Protein backbone atom coordinates (compact mmCIF):
# COMPACT_ATOMS: atom_id res chain seq x y z
CA UNK A 1 0.00 0.00 0.00
CA UNK A 2 2.80 2.40 0.94
CA UNK A 3 4.92 1.88 -2.18
CA UNK A 4 1.97 2.43 -4.53
CA UNK A 5 0.10 5.14 -2.60
CA UNK A 6 -2.89 2.83 -2.19
CA UNK A 7 -3.15 1.69 -5.82
CA UNK A 8 -2.37 -1.87 -4.69
CA UNK A 9 -3.63 -3.63 -1.58
CA UNK A 10 -1.73 -6.84 -0.90
CA UNK A 11 -1.93 -9.46 1.83
CA UNK A 12 0.23 -12.52 2.29
CA UNK A 13 -0.93 -15.58 4.12
CA UNK A 14 0.37 -18.95 5.18
CA UNK A 15 1.66 -21.64 2.84
CA UNK A 16 2.73 -19.38 -0.03
CA UNK A 17 -0.56 -17.54 -0.57
CA UNK A 18 -0.83 -13.90 -1.62
CA UNK A 19 -4.02 -11.98 -2.39
CA UNK A 20 -4.20 -8.58 -3.98
CA UNK A 21 -6.63 -5.92 -5.07
CA UNK A 22 -6.22 -2.96 -7.41
CA UNK A 23 -9.07 -0.60 -6.43
CA UNK A 24 -8.73 1.73 -9.44
CA UNK A 25 -9.00 -1.19 -11.86
CA UNK A 26 -11.48 -3.19 -9.75
CA UNK A 27 -9.32 -6.30 -10.17
CA UNK A 28 -8.46 -8.85 -7.53
CA UNK A 29 -6.24 -11.92 -7.70
CA UNK A 30 -4.65 -14.66 -5.63
CA UNK A 31 -1.37 -16.52 -6.03
CA UNK A 32 -0.58 -19.88 -4.41
CA UNK A 33 2.79 -21.61 -4.58
CA UNK A 34 2.06 -25.32 -4.79
CA UNK A 35 5.04 -26.18 -2.58
CA UNK A 36 3.93 -23.68 0.07
CA UNK A 37 7.10 -21.59 -0.17
CA UNK A 38 6.42 -17.88 0.04
CA UNK A 39 9.56 -16.82 -1.82
CA UNK A 40 8.29 -18.17 -5.16
CA UNK A 41 4.79 -16.79 -4.53
CA UNK A 42 6.28 -13.39 -3.73
CA UNK A 43 8.13 -13.22 -7.06
CA UNK A 44 5.04 -14.40 -8.96
CA UNK A 45 2.82 -11.87 -7.18
CA UNK A 46 5.05 -8.96 -8.15
CA UNK A 47 5.01 -10.07 -11.78
CA UNK A 48 1.22 -10.47 -11.74
CA UNK A 49 0.93 -6.94 -10.36
CA UNK A 50 3.27 -5.63 -13.03
CA UNK A 51 1.21 -7.30 -15.77
CA UNK A 52 -1.98 -5.80 -14.32
CA UNK A 53 -0.45 -2.33 -14.28
CA UNK A 54 -0.19 -2.13 -10.50
CA UNK A 55 3.27 -0.55 -10.54
CA UNK A 56 5.01 2.26 -12.31
CA UNK A 57 8.42 1.43 -13.81
CA UNK A 58 10.03 3.29 -10.90
CA UNK A 59 8.11 1.29 -8.30
CA UNK A 60 8.98 -1.97 -10.04
CA UNK A 61 12.69 -1.06 -9.91
CA UNK A 62 12.37 -0.19 -6.22
CA UNK A 63 11.15 -3.75 -5.61
CA UNK A 64 14.08 -5.39 -7.43
CA UNK A 65 15.27 -7.29 -4.35
CA UNK A 66 11.90 -9.09 -4.43
CA UNK A 67 11.63 -9.63 -8.20
CA UNK A 68 14.86 -11.64 -8.51
CA UNK A 69 16.01 -12.59 -5.01
CA UNK A 70 19.37 -14.29 -4.60
CA UNK A 71 19.59 -17.84 -3.30
CA UNK A 72 22.43 -18.46 -0.86
CA UNK A 73 24.03 -21.60 0.53
CA UNK A 74 24.74 -22.27 4.18
CA UNK A 75 27.91 -20.17 3.94
CA UNK A 76 25.93 -17.17 2.73
CA UNK A 77 27.40 -17.40 -0.79
CA UNK A 78 25.09 -16.54 -3.67
CA UNK A 79 24.49 -19.78 -5.60
CA UNK A 80 21.49 -18.81 -7.69
CA UNK A 81 18.62 -16.48 -8.31
CA UNK A 82 14.87 -16.94 -8.22
CA UNK A 83 13.09 -15.50 -11.24
CA UNK A 84 10.08 -15.91 -13.47
CA UNK A 85 10.61 -18.19 -16.46
CA UNK A 86 9.04 -16.72 -19.56
CA UNK A 87 7.70 -19.12 -22.16
CA UNK A 88 9.69 -19.15 -25.40
Amino acid sequence: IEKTQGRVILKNGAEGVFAGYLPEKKVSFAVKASDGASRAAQVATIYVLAQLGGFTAEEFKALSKYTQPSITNWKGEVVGQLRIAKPS
Side-chain angles (χ1 to χ4, degrees):
I1 294 174
E2 292 173 11
K3 296 274 188 216
T4 63
Q5 292 79 45
R7 289 188 325 277
V8 174
I9 299 170
L10 189 62
K11 174 72 174 109
N12 68 318
E15 301 295 324
V17 174
F18 282 78
Y21 178 60
L22 287 77
E24 293 174 359
K25 296 179 183 270
K26 296 184 174 138
V27 173
S28 60
F29 67 92
V31 172
K32 165 72 172 126
S34 61
D35 67 355
S38 63
R39 68 182 184 179
Q42 187 174 40
V43 173
T45 298
I46 291 171
Y47 276 92
V48 167
L49 283 168
Q51 293 297 312
L52 292 173
F55 297 124
T56 65
E58 231 175 63
E59 291 164 344
F60 189 77
K61 284 181 185 178
L63 295 168
S64 64
K65 74 177 184 178
Y66 303 107
T67 59
Q68 293 185 345
S70 296
I71 298 172
T72 57
N73 64 13
W74 65 276
K75 291 182 182 180
E77 300 167 331
V78 175
V79 295
Q81 186 178 54
L82 196 62
R83 58 183 175 208
I84 295 293
K86 296 182 182 177
S88 52

